[in-house]
Amino acid sequence: FAVISCFIPIMMATGGNVGLQCSTLMVRGLATGEVGPGRVMRTLFVESRVGFTIGLICGLLAGIAAHAFNSDLALGAIVTVSMWVGVSVAATAGTLLPIVCMRVGVDPAISAGPFITALNDLTATFIYLSIAQAILT
């Protein structure tokens, strides 16, 4: 089980990067008027789809590396699925959080970054360990 902990940093970093990138795009879109009330759902769909695709590609690459690292098919599957789900969730959260911040009267440019980082680190770790527990037990 110790080898599972080796992949926690990549789960958090990849999810965090995707979440922050989506957040940055949303903050920019809100500031320039490109994303308004009528385009929120479309933007959410597009960003979630991109996160889903990036998560799948990164998950497959990381899963292959995990399998090669430890010659364990279960570890490769855990890393692949966890990365895929974690990055997909991070993209959705990174897209939604600036909108939520704006609606509650908090400047999304200032607040979204710290919230996204904390939320993605916790979520990515929880997803990874939950999937590992489900597959290994």
Side-chain angles (χ1 to χ4, degrees):
F1 290 112
V3 73
I4 290 172
S5 65
C6 295
F7 293 93
I8 291 173
I10 194 169
M11 296 296 160
M12 293 190 319
T14 306
N17 287 334
V18 169
L20 284 173
Q21 183 64 34
C22 289
S23 173
T24 300
L25 289 172
M26 282 303 295
V27 169
R28 181 187 173 278
L30 292 168
T32 62
E34 291 175 28
V35 178
R39 293 196 44 135
V40 170
M41 292 308 293
R42 170 145 173 75
T43 304
L44 176 62
F45 174 74
V46 169
E47 292 301 319
S48 296
R49 189 177 64 199
V50 169
F52 182 87
T53 304
I54 290 170
L56 180 60
I57 293 167
C58 289
L60 287 170
L61 293 173
I64 291 167
H67 174 64
F69 174 70
N70 200 39
S71 298
D72 185 358
L73 190 56
L75 179 63
I78 290 166
V79 171
T80 298
V81 173
S82 299
M83 180 82 68
W84 185 17
V85 173
V87 169
S88 297
V89 169
T92 303
T95 304
L96 285 175
L97 198 55
I99 296 166
V100 171
C101 287
M102 187 181 71
R103 291 212 174 147
V104 298
V106 177
D107 183 4
I110 295 171
S111 57
F115 287 133
I116 290 290
T117 301
L119 179 67
N120 286 337
D121 286 352
L122 291 171
T123 304
T125 304
F126 177 76
I127 289 168
Y128 178 56
L129 295 177
S130 295
I131 290 172
Q133 181 181 18
I135 290 177
L136 295 176
T137 57

